[in-house]
Amino acid sequence: MKRNILIHPDPRLKKVCAPVADLSDELRQLADDMLETMYDAPGIGLAAPQIGVLERLIVLDCVKEEGETPRPLVMFNPEVIASSDETNVYEEGCLSIPEQFAEVTRPKVVDVTWMDRDGNLRQETFDGLWATCVQHEIDHLNGKLFIDYLKPLKRQMITRKMQKLKRERARA
Ligand code: NI
């Protein structure tokens, strides 16, 4: 089932999310719903707080080329355990901040641990777009948005645009 994506500013997007203690069918369904919502948007990552669920769960799939096999990843309690000194700059966007993009600098390579959909502990090294995406999504679990990396003026400009967008949507 597709879920409704919250638009910034929203207090739920500023919260530190709680760790997932035990996997349940309900949480697996939530992860499936998030993947469906992400693909539909379309986007390459989605975090649970973006659909109003304050738990440490993200989904991502950075395979963008037409015809390539999708690689949906479901991560419960994801954590960056090591990051490279070398950085990368990507023009980032966010499904909670539609049609706004800005360059963000982050570590180029990160090692991430998480619990998968079957409850297995996993660890993997991510590079390039995958590394940026997984860091962006984990930030969401700590109440941080990509615009928080920008200069205040630019952040305020984007926030005002989003407030206007929300007013327009509320009227429609
Ligand atoms: Ni985002």
Side-chain angles (χ1 to χ4, degrees):
M1 184 185 72
K2 225 182 81 184
R3 306 285 191 113
N4 191 34
I5 299 175
L6 300 178
I7 302 298
H8 164 76
D10 186 296
R12 288 165 288 183
L13 294 173
K14 303 303 291 176
K15 296 272 196 279
V16 175
C17 298
V20 173
D22 286 302
L23 279 190
S24 60
D25 286 342
E26 199 182 331
L27 280 169
R28 273 186 267 267
Q29 183 60 52
L30 175 66
D32 292 343
D33 286 354
M34 283 170 58
L35 279 170
E36 187 183 338
T37 305
M38 179 191 83
Y39 285 127
D40 180 77
I44 58 172
L46 188 68
Q50 293 182 273
I51 56 162
V53 177
L54 300 182
E55 302 205 58
R56 302 189 81 82
L57 164 62
I58 64 172
V59 299
L60 60 156
D61 183 350
C62 299
V63 175
K64 289 205 309 192
E65 297 303 316
E66 202 69 40
E68 264 191 75
T69 313
R71 193 191 176 215
L73 283 180
V74 170
M75 298 182 172
F76 294 96
N77 304 329
E79 205 179 325
V80 174
I81 56 163
S83 14
S84 63
D85 291 333
E86 193 185 349
T87 56
N88 220 354
V89 180
Y90 264 106
E91 182 150 87
E92 295 192 22
C94 180
L95 294 177
S96 293
I97 311 173
E99 284 163 47
Q100 302 298 316
F101 303 91
E103 288 190 341
V104 177
T105 304
R106 299 182 189 269
K108 183 180 182 290
V109 184
V110 287
D111 291 337
V112 179
T113 59
W114 72 96
M115 181 168 65
D116 71 14
R117 214 179 164 282
D118 302 313
N120 300 311
L121 287 177
R122 304 266 303 266
Q123 181 176 334
E124 192 171 322
T125 302
F126 293 99
D127 195 349
L129 181 60
W130 284 90
T132 288
C133 184
V134 75
Q135 292 175 83
H136 173 122
E137 300 311 328
I138 292 173
D139 272 354
H140 273 298
L141 305 181
N142 297 317
K144 191 163 186 179
L145 303 172
F146 82 90
I147 56 171
D148 293 326
Y149 292 93
L150 309 179
K151 294 202 173 73
L153 208 63
K154 172 102 189 193
R155 182 165 61 241
Q156 283 156 19
M157 195 187 77
I158 290 177
T159 298
R160 275 197 292 272
K161 278 186 190 166
M162 292 301 104
Q163 284 164 331
K164 183 162 172 273
L165 176 73
K166 286 173 81 164
R167 283 196 301 273
E168 282 166 5
R169 286 192 180 180
R171 271 200 303 267

